[in-house]
Amino acid sequence: MDRNDADGTRLMRGAGGAPADPGATRAARPADLGATRISVPDIDTPADPGATRLASSGAPGDATVASAPPTSLIGAVPTTQLPRGAATTVLPGAAPAGGQGIDGIDAMDDPYASPVNLADLTTARRPVELQSPVKSTKKKGMPVWGVLIVVVLVLAGLAGAAWYTYDQELWGGRTVPLVVGLDEATAASKLEAAGFSVEVAQVPADDGIGTVTACSPEPGKRADSAQATLTVAVARTIPQVTGTSLEDAQKALLNMGATNIRIQSVNSDAESGTVVEVSPAEGSEFKSGDEVVLSVATPYVVPSVMGLDVEAAKAAVEKAGLAANVTYVKSDAARNTVVACDPEAGTQASEGDVVELQVSTPYPEEVTDLTAYFDATSKEVATYLGDEKYTLVYGSTLFNGDAHAVYRGQDGDMITFSPNPETGSYAGGKTDDVLGSGAPISGVRYVYASGAAPAGGTSETVSGVKAVMEACGLSGLKETATEQDLAGLGVLAQSQGGGTAGSSQTQADSQAQTDGRHFICGYGETDQYSWAVVIGGPKDVTNVVVLVCPRSHFNGGVDLSAYDNSPAKYIGYVSVFDGQVSTQKGDDNAQ
């Protein structure tokens, strides 16, 4: 922009001081009366708001005023076009001191003047900015790039300091140590060393007792809180449940992790529906899969015991808080089982009431029911014989533990328990209650009292044998033998200390050596037992003997080769002629 005068803006001449185009309108300094001049109000001086004045090249009095919108040459403002061919004169402004104006040529020397094309004077233009030739005396500061470097270094230092202090856990929380799987004491020590206060929560478990199963906050991560909670596995224990309701007891067990709970009712004076007992006992350790039994109180009621073994029935009655009284009766039911109960099952009772149990007898119906002794226990047999008034005259055990016991009845009959029932001998002198002690029964021998044999049972005939066997409940007769059947075997001569068995002399003498002894022996087998009936004795005496033992005894248990492998011959000989003969099962310990 050209220098501003007090009353307007000057536009410089063209080259050489004269207008390039004579017909063009030119702007001149106020002193140049021959030039055309545009007067623009000074920025700081109010201009004529009416219009821009144009002056002709004539005298000042000939000036013509053209009305137009105000025009400004400062900045990007609207322009005013001058009419073509119009005679215009720029009104002169005030002359500078000395009365001499400055023309366009003089403006060439003005560093703030900018040559213009006179053809463009009809349009206002933006002023041209020129760099001032005057250098600033103000001292220059640090370059921008230097400032940036300083800022970066400061920020890096701050970041490093922040990282170091964070790494040293001076701020931002603490790292939780790895403690899962350690024992409680070790884990707590590590946490406290890391600056944490420790709380312990116990959780019932089956395995890993005493070790840490979890930690909060999570191990290996930083935590803002200084509080840490350890979860430690402890053994499951049966809680206090007695006296509580069944529902509360079940909840307590489930909370402890029990998964196998069984409930049973028991008679009790406690409030109905409350737990009176727990198994395992309270405070006992258990695993989640172990069975836990809750006994729940119910009123006293007679339990159902029909068909149970007598011992099981008695236990059930006593567990119900009642007492049992056993009476043995004859019955077709299995031996030693309950066949009747009074009061009946389900009847309400009071604590200690007596329940009468009728039990199918485990004892023989008769003393001569020899196979029945094998169905009873040794103790039951001892009790039975005591009830029947039999007296123990000998008692001992054999080397293999089997019982050898001899009892005598009030009428003179005798019953012997021995693994060798074919012989009735015993050492005497010992009266140990071996049956009462539970020594096993492996064979039974019964000798009728004189005159007590069944009718026809003293006849040394097959019919006599059958009469005795039927009276004793035996069947399955297989063979019979008499003393005559022993002739020629040589066993009689051997028993008397004679010559070599089988010699002609021995055979000849065998008949005489019977010494008047006589017998008939019947042998048979029924079920799993072997049995024999022997009728006979020395001279004028006739004894009736019945014996029973397991089949194995006469089928490989003894050597029958000297008796033609005949059990009847062997049993008759041993019973009548040689009662002291012992078998391979061994003698009494007392002998």
mmCIF file of all heavy atoms in Angstrom, residues 232-273:
data_model
loop_
_atom_site.group_PDB
_atom_site.id
_atom_site.type_symbol
_atom_site.label_atom_id
_atom_site.label_comp_id
_atom_site.label_asym_id
_atom_site.label_seq_id
_atom_site.Cartn_x
_atom_site.Cartn_y
_atom_site.Cartn_z
ATOM 1 N N VAL A 232 -7.499 -72.433 52.856
ATOM 2 C CA VAL A 232 -6.717 -73.596 53.257
ATOM 3 C C VAL A 232 -7.635 -74.804 53.380
ATOM 4 O O VAL A 232 -8.724 -74.725 53.951
ATOM 5 C CB VAL A 232 -6.002 -73.339 54.595
ATOM 6 C CG1 VAL A 232 -5.204 -74.561 55.027
ATOM 7 C CG2 VAL A 232 -5.090 -72.124 54.476
ATOM 8 N N ALA A 233 -7.209 -75.944 52.804
ATOM 9 C CA ALA A 233 -7.997 -77.176 52.854
ATOM 10 C C ALA A 233 -7.885 -77.813 54.239
ATOM 11 O O ALA A 233 -6.782 -77.951 54.778
ATOM 12 C CB ALA A 233 -7.523 -78.156 51.791
ATOM 13 N N VAL A 234 -9.015 -78.183 54.805
ATOM 14 C CA VAL A 234 -9.058 -78.887 56.093
ATOM 15 C C VAL A 234 -9.891 -80.153 55.922
ATOM 16 O O VAL A 234 -10.709 -80.261 55.000
ATOM 17 C CB VAL A 234 -9.656 -78.004 57.212
ATOM 18 C CG1 VAL A 234 -8.772 -76.809 57.479
ATOM 19 C CG2 VAL A 234 -11.068 -77.559 56.848
ATOM 20 N N ALA A 235 -9.657 -81.127 56.789
ATOM 21 C CA ALA A 235 -10.382 -82.394 56.700
ATOM 22 C C ALA A 235 -11.868 -82.183 57.007
ATOM 23 O O ALA A 235 -12.227 -81.341 57.841
ATOM 24 C CB ALA A 235 -9.785 -83.408 57.666
ATOM 25 N N ARG A 236 -12.683 -82.951 56.320
ATOM 26 C CA ARG A 236 -14.121 -82.926 56.624
ATOM 27 C C ARG A 236 -14.357 -83.661 57.948
ATOM 28 O O ARG A 236 -13.790 -84.727 58.173
ATOM 29 C CB ARG A 236 -14.914 -83.613 55.506
ATOM 30 C CG ARG A 236 -14.660 -83.034 54.124
ATOM 31 C CD ARG A 236 -15.528 -83.748 53.087
ATOM 32 N NE ARG A 236 -15.079 -83.464 51.731
ATOM 33 C CZ ARG A 236 -15.405 -82.385 51.044
ATOM 34 N NH1 ARG A 236 -16.204 -81.494 51.590
ATOM 35 N NH2 ARG A 236 -14.950 -82.193 49.823
ATOM 36 N N THR A 237 -15.184 -83.089 58.792
ATOM 37 C CA THR A 237 -15.517 -83.724 60.062
ATOM 38 C C THR A 237 -17.029 -83.734 60.243
ATOM 39 O O THR A 237 -17.728 -82.827 59.775
ATOM 40 C CB THR A 237 -14.870 -82.981 61.250
ATOM 41 O OG1 THR A 237 -15.269 -81.611 61.221
ATOM 42 C CG2 THR A 237 -13.353 -83.073 61.177
ATOM 43 N N ILE A 238 -17.508 -84.778 60.918
ATOM 44 C CA ILE A 238 -18.943 -84.888 61.177
ATOM 45 C C ILE A 238 -19.347 -83.757 62.124
ATOM 46 O O ILE A 238 -18.801 -83.637 63.220
ATOM 47 C CB ILE A 238 -19.293 -86.246 61.796
ATOM 48 C CG1 ILE A 238 -18.868 -87.388 60.857
ATOM 49 C CG2 ILE A 238 -20.783 -86.322 62.091
ATOM 50 C CD1 ILE A 238 -19.595 -87.408 59.528
ATOM 51 N N PRO A 239 -20.276 -82.903 61.706
ATOM 52 C CA PRO A 239 -20.679 -81.778 62.565
ATOM 53 C C PRO A 239 -21.582 -82.235 63.705
ATOM 54 O O PRO A 239 -22.017 -83.386 63.770
ATOM 55 C CB PRO A 239 -21.437 -80.874 61.585
ATOM 56 C CG PRO A 239 -21.985 -81.803 60.554
ATOM 57 C CD PRO A 239 -20.968 -82.906 60.411
ATOM 58 N N GLN A 240 -21.876 -81.302 64.599
ATOM 59 C CA GLN A 240 -22.784 -81.569 65.712
ATOM 60 C C GLN A 240 -24.215 -81.613 65.184
ATOM 61 O O GLN A 240 -24.772 -80.601 64.760
ATOM 62 C CB GLN A 240 -22.646 -80.465 66.764
ATOM 63 C CG GLN A 240 -23.634 -80.563 67.911
ATOM 64 C CD GLN A 240 -23.311 -81.721 68.836
ATOM 65 O OE1 GLN A 240 -22.154 -81.987 69.085
ATOM 66 N NE2 GLN A 240 -24.339 -82.390 69.328
ATOM 67 N N VAL A 241 -24.813 -82.811 65.158
ATOM 68 C CA VAL A 241 -26.158 -82.962 64.606
ATOM 69 C C VAL A 241 -27.121 -83.644 65.565
ATOM 70 O O VAL A 241 -28.336 -83.584 65.358
ATOM 71 C CB VAL A 241 -26.120 -83.742 63.270
ATOM 72 C CG1 VAL A 241 -25.388 -82.951 62.196
ATOM 73 C CG2 VAL A 241 -25.482 -85.120 63.457
ATOM 74 N N THR A 242 -26.628 -84.305 66.586
ATOM 75 C CA THR A 242 -27.545 -84.981 67.505
ATOM 76 C C THR A 242 -28.391 -83.946 68.239
ATOM 77 O O THR A 242 -27.905 -82.895 68.668
ATOM 78 C CB THR A 242 -26.774 -85.833 68.514
ATOM 79 O OG1 THR A 242 -25.820 -85.015 69.194
ATOM 80 C CG2 THR A 242 -26.049 -86.971 67.827
ATOM 81 N N GLY A 243 -29.664 -84.274 68.358
ATOM 82 C CA GLY A 243 -30.601 -83.366 69.004
ATOM 83 C C GLY A 243 -31.232 -82.371 68.066
ATOM 84 O O GLY A 243 -32.170 -81.674 68.437
ATOM 85 N N THR A 244 -30.738 -82.288 66.827
ATOM 86 C CA THR A 244 -31.317 -81.370 65.850
ATOM 87 C C THR A 244 -32.359 -82.101 65.015
ATOM 88 O O THR A 244 -32.455 -83.333 65.041
ATOM 89 C CB THR A 244 -30.240 -80.791 64.934
ATOM 90 O OG1 THR A 244 -29.683 -81.851 64.124
ATOM 91 C CG2 THR A 244 -29.124 -80.142 65.731
ATOM 92 N N SER A 245 -33.123 -81.335 64.258
ATOM 93 C CA SER A 245 -34.093 -81.948 63.367
ATOM 94 C C SER A 245 -33.368 -82.634 62.224
ATOM 95 O O SER A 245 -32.207 -82.320 61.918
ATOM 96 C CB SER A 245 -35.054 -80.895 62.809
ATOM 97 O OG SER A 245 -34.356 -80.000 61.950
ATOM 98 N N LEU A 246 -34.052 -83.558 61.595
ATOM 99 C CA LEU A 246 -33.458 -84.280 60.468
ATOM 100 C C LEU A 246 -33.067 -83.314 59.360
ATOM 101 O O LEU A 246 -31.990 -83.434 58.768
ATOM 102 C CB LEU A 246 -34.450 -85.325 59.950
ATOM 103 C CG LEU A 246 -34.015 -86.074 58.686
ATOM 104 C CD1 LEU A 246 -32.722 -86.832 58.924
ATOM 105 C CD2 LEU A 246 -35.121 -87.032 58.230
ATOM 106 N N GLU A 247 -33.912 -82.318 59.084
ATOM 107 C CA GLU A 247 -33.618 -81.354 58.012
ATOM 108 C C GLU A 247 -32.350 -80.573 58.312
ATOM 109 O O GLU A 247 -31.478 -80.414 57.446
ATOM 110 C CB GLU A 247 -34.804 -80.404 57.839
ATOM 111 C CG GLU A 247 -34.603 -79.386 56.719
ATOM 112 C CD GLU A 247 -35.796 -78.462 56.563
ATOM 113 O OE1 GLU A 247 -36.768 -78.634 57.328
ATOM 114 O OE2 GLU A 247 -35.747 -77.570 55.707
ATOM 115 N N ASP A 248 -32.208 -80.087 59.549
ATOM 116 C CA ASP A 248 -31.010 -79.323 59.910
ATOM 117 C C ASP A 248 -29.762 -80.207 59.869
ATOM 118 O O ASP A 248 -28.678 -79.750 59.477
ATOM 119 C CB ASP A 248 -31.177 -78.707 61.295
ATOM 120 C CG ASP A 248 -32.209 -77.591 61.313
ATOM 121 O OD1 ASP A 248 -32.546 -77.084 60.224
ATOM 122 O OD2 ASP A 248 -32.699 -77.237 62.401
ATOM 123 N N ALA A 249 -29.907 -81.442 60.292
ATOM 124 C CA ALA A 249 -28.761 -82.357 60.284
ATOM 125 C C ALA A 249 -28.296 -82.621 58.855
ATOM 126 O O ALA A 249 -27.087 -82.641 58.574
ATOM 127 C CB ALA A 249 -29.137 -83.668 60.969
ATOM 128 N N GLN A 250 -29.241 -82.808 57.954
ATOM 129 C CA GLN A 250 -28.869 -83.034 56.563
ATOM 130 C C GLN A 250 -28.171 -81.815 55.973
ATOM 131 O O GLN A 250 -27.171 -81.949 55.250
ATOM 132 C CB GLN A 250 -30.118 -83.381 55.746
ATOM 133 C CG GLN A 250 -30.664 -84.775 56.000
ATOM 134 C CD GLN A 250 -31.912 -85.056 55.200
ATOM 135 O OE1 GLN A 250 -32.900 -84.325 55.283
ATOM 136 N NE2 GLN A 250 -31.883 -86.106 54.416
ATOM 137 N N LYS A 251 -28.678 -80.620 56.265
ATOM 138 C CA LYS A 251 -28.045 -79.404 55.750
ATOM 139 C C LYS A 251 -26.618 -79.275 56.258
ATOM 140 O O LYS A 251 -25.703 -78.924 55.501
ATOM 141 C CB LYS A 251 -28.859 -78.179 56.161
ATOM 142 C CG LYS A 251 -30.163 -77.996 55.396
ATOM 143 C CD LYS A 251 -30.883 -76.732 55.853
ATOM 144 C CE LYS A 251 -32.183 -76.533 55.077
ATOM 145 N NZ LYS A 251 -32.908 -75.312 55.524
ATOM 146 N N ALA A 252 -26.417 -79.553 57.541
ATOM 147 C CA ALA A 252 -25.076 -79.441 58.118
ATOM 148 C C ALA A 252 -24.113 -80.419 57.456
ATOM 149 O O ALA A 252 -22.954 -80.080 57.169
ATOM 150 C CB ALA A 252 -25.136 -79.689 59.624
ATOM 151 N N LEU A 253 -24.575 -81.621 57.178
ATOM 152 C CA LEU A 253 -23.725 -82.614 56.528
ATOM 153 C C LEU A 253 -23.442 -82.237 55.079
ATOM 154 O O LEU A 253 -22.316 -82.401 54.592
ATOM 155 C CB LEU A 253 -24.374 -83.993 56.599
ATOM 156 C CG LEU A 253 -24.377 -84.646 57.986
ATOM 157 C CD1 LEU A 253 -25.258 -85.892 57.979
ATOM 158 C CD2 LEU A 253 -22.957 -84.998 58.416
ATOM 159 N N LEU A 254 -24.459 -81.719 54.391
ATOM 160 C CA LEU A 254 -24.249 -81.305 53.000
ATOM 161 C C LEU A 254 -23.268 -80.139 52.933
ATOM 162 O O LEU A 254 -22.420 -80.088 52.027
ATOM 163 C CB LEU A 254 -25.592 -80.918 52.364
ATOM 164 C CG LEU A 254 -26.570 -82.064 52.113
ATOM 165 C CD1 LEU A 254 -27.921 -81.523 51.631
ATOM 166 C CD2 LEU A 254 -26.013 -83.048 51.087
ATOM 167 N N ASN A 255 -23.367 -79.207 53.872
ATOM 168 C CA ASN A 255 -22.420 -78.087 53.895
ATOM 169 C C ASN A 255 -21.004 -78.560 54.145
ATOM 170 O O ASN A 255 -20.041 -77.920 53.712
ATOM 171 C CB ASN A 255 -22.825 -77.074 54.964
ATOM 172 C CG ASN A 255 -24.097 -76.323 54.614
ATOM 173 O OD1 ASN A 255 -24.458 -76.229 53.441
ATOM 174 N ND2 ASN A 255 -24.784 -75.809 55.613
ATOM 175 N N MET A 256 -20.862 -79.674 54.824
ATOM 176 C CA MET A 256 -19.532 -80.229 55.082
ATOM 177 C C MET A 256 -19.054 -81.076 53.913
ATOM 178 O O MET A 256 -17.918 -81.528 53.893
ATOM 179 C CB MET A 256 -19.567 -81.058 56.366
ATOM 180 C CG MET A 256 -18.212 -81.472 56.897
ATOM 181 S SD MET A 256 -17.083 -80.095 57.222
ATOM 182 C CE MET A 256 -17.920 -79.310 58.600
ATOM 183 N N GLY A 257 -19.925 -81.263 52.899
ATOM 184 C CA GLY A 257 -19.519 -81.981 51.689
ATOM 185 C C GLY A 257 -19.961 -83.417 51.621
ATOM 186 O O GLY A 257 -19.575 -84.139 50.698
ATOM 187 N N ALA A 258 -20.772 -83.902 52.586
ATOM 188 C CA ALA A 258 -21.231 -85.294 52.549
ATOM 189 C C ALA A 258 -22.170 -85.508 51.369
ATOM 190 O O ALA A 258 -23.054 -84.686 51.109
ATOM 191 C CB ALA A 258 -21.937 -85.648 53.856
ATOM 192 N N THR A 259 -21.980 -86.602 50.639
ATOM 193 C CA THR A 259 -22.821 -86.907 49.478
ATOM 194 C C THR A 259 -23.545 -88.244 49.620
ATOM 195 O O THR A 259 -24.335 -88.594 48.754
ATOM 196 C CB THR A 259 -21.968 -86.929 48.205
ATOM 197 O OG1 THR A 259 -20.940 -87.938 48.326
ATOM 198 C CG2 THR A 259 -21.308 -85.580 47.955
ATOM 199 N N ASN A 260 -23.236 -89.005 50.680
ATOM 200 C CA ASN A 260 -23.838 -90.329 50.844
ATOM 201 C C ASN A 260 -24.434 -90.424 52.252
ATOM 202 O O ASN A 260 -23.809 -90.928 53.180
ATOM 203 C CB ASN A 260 -22.767 -91.411 50.623
ATOM 204 C CG ASN A 260 -23.344 -92.808 50.647
ATOM 205 O OD1 ASN A 260 -24.568 -92.999 50.637
ATOM 206 N ND2 ASN A 260 -22.483 -93.807 50.687
ATOM 207 N N ILE A 261 -25.653 -89.916 52.391
ATOM 208 C CA ILE A 261 -26.322 -89.859 53.696
ATOM 209 C C ILE A 261 -27.459 -90.885 53.721
ATOM 210 O O ILE A 261 -28.311 -90.888 52.834
ATOM 211 C CB ILE A 261 -26.882 -88.454 53.969
ATOM 212 C CG1 ILE A 261 -25.761 -87.413 53.906
ATOM 213 C CG2 ILE A 261 -27.576 -88.407 55.317
ATOM 214 C CD1 ILE A 261 -26.255 -85.990 54.010
ATOM 215 N N ARG A 262 -27.434 -91.762 54.737
ATOM 216 C CA ARG A 262 -28.507 -92.755 54.893
ATOM 217 C C ARG A 262 -29.247 -92.465 56.193
ATOM 218 O O ARG A 262 -28.642 -92.163 57.219
ATOM 219 C CB ARG A 262 -27.942 -94.173 54.905
ATOM 220 C CG ARG A 262 -29.013 -95.251 55.025
ATOM 221 C CD ARG A 262 -28.430 -96.613 54.694
ATOM 222 N NE ARG A 262 -27.418 -97.035 55.615
ATOM 223 C CZ ARG A 262 -27.656 -97.683 56.763
ATOM 224 N NH1 ARG A 262 -28.906 -97.959 57.116
ATOM 225 N NH2 ARG A 262 -26.661 -98.047 57.541
ATOM 226 N N ILE A 263 -30.572 -92.604 56.143
ATOM 227 C CA ILE A 263 -31.417 -92.286 57.296
ATOM 228 C C ILE A 263 -32.102 -93.564 57.760
ATOM 229 O O ILE A 263 -32.654 -94.319 56.948
ATOM 230 C CB ILE A 263 -32.466 -91.228 56.923
ATOM 231 C CG1 ILE A 263 -31.775 -89.954 56.441
ATOM 232 C CG2 ILE A 263 -33.369 -90.925 58.100
ATOM 233 C CD1 ILE A 263 -32.708 -88.967 55.794
ATOM 234 N N GLN A 264 -32.048 -93.807 59.054
ATOM 235 C CA GLN A 264 -32.748 -94.958 59.614
ATOM 236 C C GLN A 264 -33.510 -94.526 60.872
ATOM 237 O O GLN A 264 -33.105 -93.607 61.579
ATOM 238 C CB GLN A 264 -31.768 -96.082 59.954
ATOM 239 C CG GLN A 264 -30.784 -95.734 61.052
ATOM 240 C CD GLN A 264 -29.823 -96.883 61.359
ATOM 241 O OE1 GLN A 264 -29.720 -97.830 60.576
ATOM 242 N NE2 GLN A 264 -29.148 -96.819 62.489
ATOM 243 N N SER A 265 -34.623 -95.202 61.096
ATOM 244 C CA SER A 265 -35.468 -94.882 62.248
ATOM 245 C C SER A 265 -35.119 -95.815 63.399
ATOM 246 O O SER A 265 -34.885 -97.011 63.194
ATOM 247 C CB SER A 265 -36.946 -95.029 61.881
ATOM 248 O OG SER A 265 -37.301 -94.112 60.866
ATOM 249 N N VAL A 266 -35.075 -95.265 64.593
ATOM 250 C CA VAL A 266 -34.820 -96.064 65.791
ATOM 251 C C VAL A 266 -35.814 -95.639 66.864
ATOM 252 O O VAL A 266 -36.219 -94.482 66.937
ATOM 253 C CB VAL A 266 -33.376 -95.886 66.304
ATOM 254 C CG1 VAL A 266 -32.373 -96.416 65.317
ATOM 255 C CG2 VAL A 266 -33.083 -94.438 66.634
ATOM 256 N N ASN A 267 -36.199 -96.599 67.662
ATOM 257 C CA ASN A 267 -37.091 -96.284 68.777
ATOM 258 C C ASN A 267 -36.326 -95.499 69.828
ATOM 259 O O ASN A 267 -35.204 -95.849 70.188
ATOM 260 C CB ASN A 267 -37.652 -97.565 69.380
ATOM 261 C CG ASN A 267 -38.530 -98.309 68.396
ATOM 262 O OD1 ASN A 267 -38.230 -99.431 68.027
ATOM 263 N ND2 ASN A 267 -39.594 -97.684 67.956
ATOM 264 N N SER A 268 -36.940 -94.430 70.294
ATOM 265 C CA SER A 268 -36.270 -93.580 71.264
ATOM 266 C C SER A 268 -37.307 -92.762 72.031
ATOM 267 O O SER A 268 -38.411 -92.506 71.548
ATOM 268 C CB SER A 268 -35.287 -92.647 70.566
ATOM 269 O OG SER A 268 -34.743 -91.702 71.457
ATOM 270 N N ASP A 269 -36.906 -92.332 73.257
ATOM 271 C CA ASP A 269 -37.745 -91.428 74.041
ATOM 272 C C ASP A 269 -37.580 -89.991 73.595
ATOM 273 O O ASP A 269 -38.323 -89.111 74.031
ATOM 274 C CB ASP A 269 -37.386 -91.536 75.532
ATOM 275 C CG ASP A 269 -37.849 -92.854 76.126
ATOM 276 O OD1 ASP A 269 -38.868 -93.391 75.640
ATOM 277 O OD2 ASP A 269 -37.187 -93.348 77.054
ATOM 278 N N ALA A 270 -36.615 -89.737 72.730
ATOM 279 C CA ALA A 270 -36.387 -88.377 72.237
ATOM 280 C C ALA A 270 -37.552 -87.938 71.362
ATOM 281 O O ALA A 270 -38.371 -88.751 70.918
ATOM 282 C CB ALA A 270 -35.088 -88.313 71.453
ATOM 283 N N GLU A 271 -37.613 -86.623 71.127
ATOM 284 C CA GLU A 271 -38.692 -86.084 70.294
ATOM 285 C C GLU A 271 -38.670 -86.735 68.924
ATOM 286 O O GLU A 271 -37.616 -86.877 68.297
ATOM 287 C CB GLU A 271 -38.534 -84.571 70.158
ATOM 288 C CG GLU A 271 -39.645 -83.913 69.350
ATOM 289 C CD GLU A 271 -39.450 -82.425 69.223
ATOM 290 O OE1 GLU A 271 -38.522 -81.895 69.870
ATOM 291 O OE2 GLU A 271 -40.212 -81.793 68.471
ATOM 292 N N SER A 272 -39.835 -87.156 68.481
ATOM 293 C CA SER A 272 -39.930 -87.833 67.186
ATOM 294 C C SER A 272 -39.399 -86.937 66.073
ATOM 295 O O SER A 272 -39.716 -85.754 65.997
ATOM 296 C CB SER A 272 -41.385 -88.218 66.893
ATOM 297 O OG SER A 272 -41.473 -88.863 65.639
ATOM 298 N N GLY A 273 -38.560 -87.517 65.207
ATOM 299 C CA GLY A 273 -38.017 -86.776 64.067
ATOM 300 C C GLY A 273 -36.689 -86.110 64.330
ATOM 301 O O GLY A 273 -36.112 -85.512 63.416
#
